[in-house]
């Protein structure tokens, strides 16, 4: 086999693909906005580093962020830590992921085995309705801005719905994978004192059905301040024994009083309002909490999806991840670009 010369790329996009790329459109729009000319990607990158105020304002505008940007992009830009981005802005993360112009977007799910519900599809309208009902249930439980909502769940549509419902009211979402042991979960959730804990009854892996409710009972009993544990049926068809789990209810029963709710009152909050709590790996002691703000997460993910991945409305986005890794959060943000997010 003939090897390609080492000084030439193995693949290059066609002129037609380059012309139709989001990055090309961004360069044209930003160039016109700031009266600049970008000869190539290196020039665009250099401008983004040397003029971050112009760059990030352009990302906001190009991606059509829903919210009020304000007149100021950054204060104390050279302080690290200490720089404040978009200090006058108000937005809601979930509102941008459930944007009304995303006509060909939603969630598609594949699970292991042959059980009912292993393949599901929720378009944007169905997803919005599910989030609206759950957000109403959370509000009725007294959950508001800054309260922590935790999920100990597989990569299910319900996990995304919990995150969006929490974000819609300004609550802070945090998650862990159901293959974590009891102490691993407590090392994480024990630091953030969640008021709501969403769990699945189990998960499937490598052809096996693994029950989680025994671990959930122990975890919930050791989380002071927990208002409710909400169980999402996944591997069991019925007959869930919840008496051993403090303040436990099934997801269907939790949202039933709000089944007629069809709209969401999105709380528009400051740009740096906490959205996610993630964790370091725990290899050097107890995992460290890492807080990510709503605006920074939204803009960074929009930049990566639209400019680097060339993600467009109706595209399908997949990343193989559990809910214990930050790539789950990255994957969920694909909704903000009008894509179908594929869960497995």
């Amino acid at each position: 086999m003939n090897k390609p010369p080492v000084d030439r790329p193995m693949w290059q996009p066609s002129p037609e693909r380059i012309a139709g790329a989001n990055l090309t459109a961004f360069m044209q729009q930003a160039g016109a906005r700031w009266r600049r000319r970008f000869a190539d990607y290196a020039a665009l990158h250099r401008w983004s580093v040397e003029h971050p105020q112009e760059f990030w304002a352009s990302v906001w505008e190009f991606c059509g962020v829903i919210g009020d940007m304000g007149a100021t992009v950054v204060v104390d830009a050279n302080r690290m830590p200490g720089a404040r981005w978009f200090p006058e802005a108000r937005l809601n993360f979930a509102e941008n992921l459930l944007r009304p112009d995303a006509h060909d977007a939603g969630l598609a799910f594949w699970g292991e085995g042959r059980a009912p519900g292993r393949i599901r599809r929720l378009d944007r309208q169905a997803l919005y309705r599910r989030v609206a009902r759950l957000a109403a249930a959370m509000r009725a439980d007294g959950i508001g801005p800054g309260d922590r909502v935790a999920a100990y769940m597989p990569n299910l549509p319900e996990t995304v719905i919990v995150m969006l419902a929490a974000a819609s009211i300004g609550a802070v979402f945090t998650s862990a994978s159901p293959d974590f042991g009891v102490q691993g979960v407590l090392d994480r959730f024990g630091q953030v004192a969640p008021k709501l804990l969403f769990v699945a009854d189990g998960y499937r892996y490598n052809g096996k059905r693994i029950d989680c409710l025994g671990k959930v009972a122990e975890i919930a009993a050791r989380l002071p301040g927990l208002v409710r544990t909400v169980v999402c049926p996944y591997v069991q068809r019925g007959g869930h024994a919840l008496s051993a789990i403090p303040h436990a209810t099934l997801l269907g029963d939790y949202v039933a009083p709000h089944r007629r709710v069809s709209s969401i009152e999105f709380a528009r909050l400051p740009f740096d309002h906490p959205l996610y709590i993630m964790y370091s790996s725990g290899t050097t002691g107890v995992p460290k909490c890492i807080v990510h703000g709503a605006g920074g997460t939204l803009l960074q993910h929009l930049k990566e999806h639209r400019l680097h991945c060339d993600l467009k409305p109706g595209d399908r986005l997949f990343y193989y991840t559990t809910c214990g890794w930050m790539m789950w959060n990255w994957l969920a943000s694909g909704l903000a670009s009008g894509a179908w997010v594929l869960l497995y």
Side-chain angles (χ1 to χ4, degrees):
M1 176 182 287
N2 294 326
K3 294 183 179 179
V6 295
D7 61 343
R8 292 167 59 185
M10 295 180 64
W11 176 86
Q12 285 182 312
S14 67
E16 293 76 18
R17 183 163 182 176
I18 293 172
N22 288 336
L23 189 60
T24 302
F26 176 78
M27 292 169 72
Q28 294 169 347
Q29 181 174 310
R33 169 76 166 81
W34 304 104
R35 297 182 180 179
R36 298 183 181 278
R37 181 178 178 275
F38 306 114
D40 52 23
Y41 180 82
L44 177 72
H45 179 263
R46 186 165 55 252
W47 165 71
S48 74
V49 174
E50 295 175 353
H51 301 278
Q53 296 92 333
E54 296 179 5
F55 173 75
W56 286 109
S58 295
V59 171
W60 182 301
E61 294 166 355
F62 180 79
C63 295
V65 171
I66 299 172
D68 301 312
M69 184 169 67
T72 305
V73 174
V74 63
V75 176
D76 294 330
N78 294 323
R79 290 184 61 190
M80 179 63 186
R84 291 192 61 218
W85 292 91
F86 297 98
E88 303 160 3
R90 309 285 293 192
L91 57 78
N92 184 277
F93 183 81
E95 186 176 12
N96 279 272
L97 269 64
L98 293 170
R99 49 188 313 128
D101 56 356
H103 303 296
D104 188 17
L107 301 176
F109 168 75
W110 286 263
E112 284 192 12
R114 299 179 178 273
R118 75 177 182 92
I119 299 176
R120 285 188 283 158
R121 183 178 181 273
L122 285 173
D123 62 19
R124 187 260 172 201
Q125 290 76 20
L127 178 60
Y128 185 98
R129 289 193 298 270
R130 296 278 295 275
V131 174
R133 294 165 189 164
L134 185 55
M138 288 183 180
R139 287 182 185 273
D141 242 353
I143 305 302
D147 289 333
R148 274 75 64 204
V149 174
Y152 181 48
M153 296 179 68
N155 191 11
L156 299 171
E158 286 76 13
T159 314
V160 179
I161 291 166
V162 171
M163 179 275 288
L164 290 171
S168 75
I169 61 179
V172 187
F173 178 82
T174 189
S175 61
S177 177
D179 58 293
F180 286 12
V182 170
Q183 192 57 50
V185 176
L186 290 171
D187 285 347
R188 292 162 173 82
F189 293 171
Q191 298 185 64
V192 304
K195 285 190 174 182
L196 290 181
L197 174 64
F198 287 81
V199 303
D201 57 11
Y203 63 98
R204 295 184 178 89
Y205 179 72
N206 197 26
K208 299 178 181 178
R209 193 183 82 173
I210 301 169
D211 179 80
C212 284
L213 293 184
K215 292 191 294 183
V216 167
E218 187 174 351
I219 291 166
R222 294 170 62 184
L223 289 175
L226 195 63
V227 172
R228 200 171 312 279
T229 301
V230 182
V231 178
C232 173
Y234 176 46
V235 299
Q236 298 182 33
R237 295 189 179 184
H240 291 83
L242 304 183
S243 59
I245 304 173
H247 314 295
T249 185
L250 291 173
L251 178 61
D253 296 332
Y254 188 62
V255 300
H258 312 280
R259 61 184 177 274
R260 297 187 184 277
V261 174
S262 59
S263 63
I264 305 172
E265 182 183 344
F266 293 104
R268 290 199 177 177
L269 298 159
F271 184 85
D272 59 359
H273 182 79
L275 169 71
Y276 290 137
I277 299 174
M278 288 183 262
Y279 307 91
S280 64
S281 63
T283 55
T284 57
V286 175
K288 310 326 186 269
C289 295
I290 306 168
V291 179
H292 290 256
T297 300
L298 179 65
L299 278 192
Q300 178 67 14
H301 287 174
L302 282 170
K303 182 199 73 172
E304 293 182 10
H305 288 157
R306 300 274 185 95
L307 304 186
H308 296 292
C309 300
D310 201 33
L311 196 63
K312 297 178 179 177
D315 283 348
R316 291 176 273 291
L317 178 65
F318 174 74
Y319 202 100
Y320 179 64
T321 179
T322 72
C323 301
W325 189 25
M326 46 73 64
M327 289 308 301
W328 179 87
N329 309 77
W330 184 91
L331 173 65
S333 289
L335 292 168
S337 292
W340 281 90
V341 171
L342 310 185
L343 310 174
Y344 175 77

